[in-house]
Amino acid sequence: SLQNLTVSLDSVLLAAARNGHYAIAKVLLAQGANPQAEAKAKTTPLHEAAKGGHKDLALLLLQHGADINARCEGEETPLFLASKSGREDMVRLLLSKFSTFKPWDDPRQASMGYIRLKKHFEPALHLSAERGDEAAVRLLLKLGFDPDGNTKGIEETPLFRAAEHGHTAIIELLLENGADIYGTKSVRNG
């Protein structure tokens, strides 16, 4: 039936995105595969492409209507997974697709769009710091992410997470960029 064919196209699109097969994804999308198809863990093809660092494929999916804000079971977005996976080029690509994102804005006096973006994606800095991914942390800070990672619902700061996992270079980088050594759950709060 047509419904089974669509399900099959969607499943193959997820696999193509996961493995970086641009040409296959392009054919599948032309045949009606859903760029918002979800796997069991609610990951979409864009999640898979972002995690794997497949920039051209991610761009193709976005051009076909993939939701850049899609969240999988762990509430992770494609940007979060790209940062978590240390995909600096993918982080840059995804951030460039937000029309309201203005990296030249002062993060403390930013536009509402920038604040909305930061509320939505700030955990990427936490996870990159925890993981010890210096390139991703450097990029996120350069793009205006708050070095203290002021995110509702997350008690530990990026500095705390870097210290907890012994990432000295990340600690130095966060401090150089104005992180508060006495932030939540840091030295003062133990």
Side-chain angles (χ1 to χ4, degrees):
S1 78
L2 185 57
Q3 184 179 6
N4 289 340
L5 177 62
T6 302
V7 170
S8 296
L9 285 175
D10 294 350
S11 298
V12 176
L13 179 60
L14 281 157
R18 184 177 310 112
N19 295 299
H21 299 302
Y22 177 89
I24 293 170
K26 188 173 182 177
V27 169
L28 292 168
L29 289 164
Q31 294 299 313
N34 180 3
Q36 289 302 113
E38 291 183 355
K40 287 182 182 178
K42 292 193 164 198
T43 57
T44 65
L46 187 56
H47 283 99
E48 298 294 347
K51 187 168 47 172
H54 309 297
K55 281 178 34 182
D56 291 342
L57 203 133
L59 191 55
L60 175 70
L61 291 163
L62 289 167
Q63 290 167 345
H64 279 84
D67 181 5
I68 200 164
N69 295 313
R71 292 174 177 260
C72 60
E73 274 184 3
E75 291 296 305
E76 298 168 329
T77 62
L79 178 59
F80 186 86
L81 290 178
S83 179
K84 178 180 175 181
S85 301
R87 307 294 185 176
E88 184 176 339
D89 287 346
M90 182 62 72
V91 169
R92 189 179 299 278
L93 170 75
L94 292 171
L95 286 173
S96 76
K97 294 301 160 191
F98 287 95
S99 61
T100 57
F101 180 71
K102 297 178 179 143
W104 54 86
D105 284 343
D106 179 338
R108 286 166 181 74
Q109 297 178 345
S111 70
M112 288 304 290
Y114 188 91
I115 292 167
R116 185 178 70 79
L117 174 72
K118 289 184 72 164
K119 283 182 182 175
H120 207 65
F121 295 112
E122 194 74 41
L125 181 59
H126 287 75
L127 208 55
S128 296
E130 180 178 311
R131 208 177 154 265
D133 189 334
E134 189 174 345
V137 169
R138 188 175 303 282
L139 175 63
L140 292 169
L141 291 170
K142 179 181 174 185
L143 292 170
F145 280 69
D146 183 351
D148 291 318
N150 293 324
T151 303
K152 195 174 189 177
I154 297 179
E155 291 184 17
E156 302 95 355
T157 64
L159 186 62
F160 177 84
R161 289 195 182 178
E164 185 175 43
H165 294 277
H167 301 304
T168 307
I170 302 297
I171 293 167
E172 291 171 354
L173 183 59
L174 289 165
L175 290 172
E176 287 168 11
N177 282 275
D180 178 5
I181 198 165
Y182 297 108
T184 304
K185 281 223 173 179
S186 66
V187 178
R188 181 182 62 196
N189 298 329

